[in-house]
Amino acid sequence: MVLLGIAMFGGVGWAAPEVLNYSGKISVSGQPYTGQAYFKFALVNRTGTVSYWTNSGNFTLVQEPPTAVAVTLSDGVYSVALGNASLTNMQAIPDQIFQDHNDARLRIWFAQSASGPFDLL
C-alpha cells in the first residue's frame, strides 16, 4: 500500500496553482452592487513597490493596469479566476511568482464602467 502511494504521488511537485480563485463583495453607496463591473488586479510585494504580475501583463511597473476584466456581480458578490488567460484582459500568472516571492499581495481596482474612474480597494 505504501509503495502504491509513492508510485501515485512520486512525480507530483509542489507548486502554486496556475489559476487563483478570488471572490469578494462590493457595495456602492452602502448597497450591494448588482450588474456589470470592471476590475483590475496586480500582485505586488509587501510594501507595494515591486510588481510581480498584473491582469494586463505588465510585470515590471507598479501602477494601475491599463485594461480591466469585466465581471458580473449579484447582490454585491463576485468571483474571478485570476490568471485564467481565457478571460478577456486576463494574463496567466507565471509559474515562479509564488516560489520566488513569499510576500505577494493582491491589489484590486474597481469601477462601475469600463472607462472608470477606478478606485483602489
Side-chain angles (χ1 to χ4, degrees), residues 15-20 82-84 92-95:
E18 294 176 12
V19 174
L20 299 173
L82 300 175
N84 182 350
I93 298 174
D95 296 337

Side-chain angles (χ1 to χ4, degrees), residues 94-111:
D95 296 337
Q96 293 296 320
I97 282 184
F98 296 104
Q99 291 177 353
D100 294 346
H101 308 287
N102 64 2
D103 65 342
R105 304 290 194 265
L106 182 61
R107 270 194 185 160
I108 304 167
W109 291 263
F110 164 79

Side-chain angles (χ1 to χ4, degrees), residues 6-116:
I6 292 171
M8 287 176 57
F9 298 108
V12 176
W14 296 99
E18 294 176 12
V19 174
L20 299 173
N21 293 312
Y22 181 79
S23 61
K25 188 168 185 175
I26 296 287
S27 292
V28 174
S29 299
Q31 298 299 314
Y33 183 78
T34 295
Q36 190 80 10
Y38 299 86
F39 290 88
K40 297 178 179 184
F41 302 96
L43 290 171
V44 299
N45 70 340
R46 180 176 327 214
T47 59
T49 58
V50 177
S51 176
Y52 302 138
W53 170 87
T54 71
N55 64 277
S56 66
N58 169 10
F59 305 146
T60 56
L61 298 176
V62 180
Q63 63 185 19
E64 180 181 321
T67 60
V69 178
V71 179
T72 301
L73 284 75
S74 177
D75 200 27
V77 177
Y78 67 95
S79 182
V80 179
L82 300 175
N84 182 350
S86 68
L87 298 175
T88 301
N89 296 326
M90 180 70 74
Q91 299 296 313
I93 298 174
D95 296 337
Q96 293 296 320
I97 282 184
F98 296 104
Q99 291 177 353
D100 294 346
H101 308 287
N102 64 2
D103 65 342
R105 304 290 194 265
L106 182 61
R107 270 194 185 160
I108 304 167
W109 291 263
F110 164 79
Q112 291 175 267
S113 73
S115 60

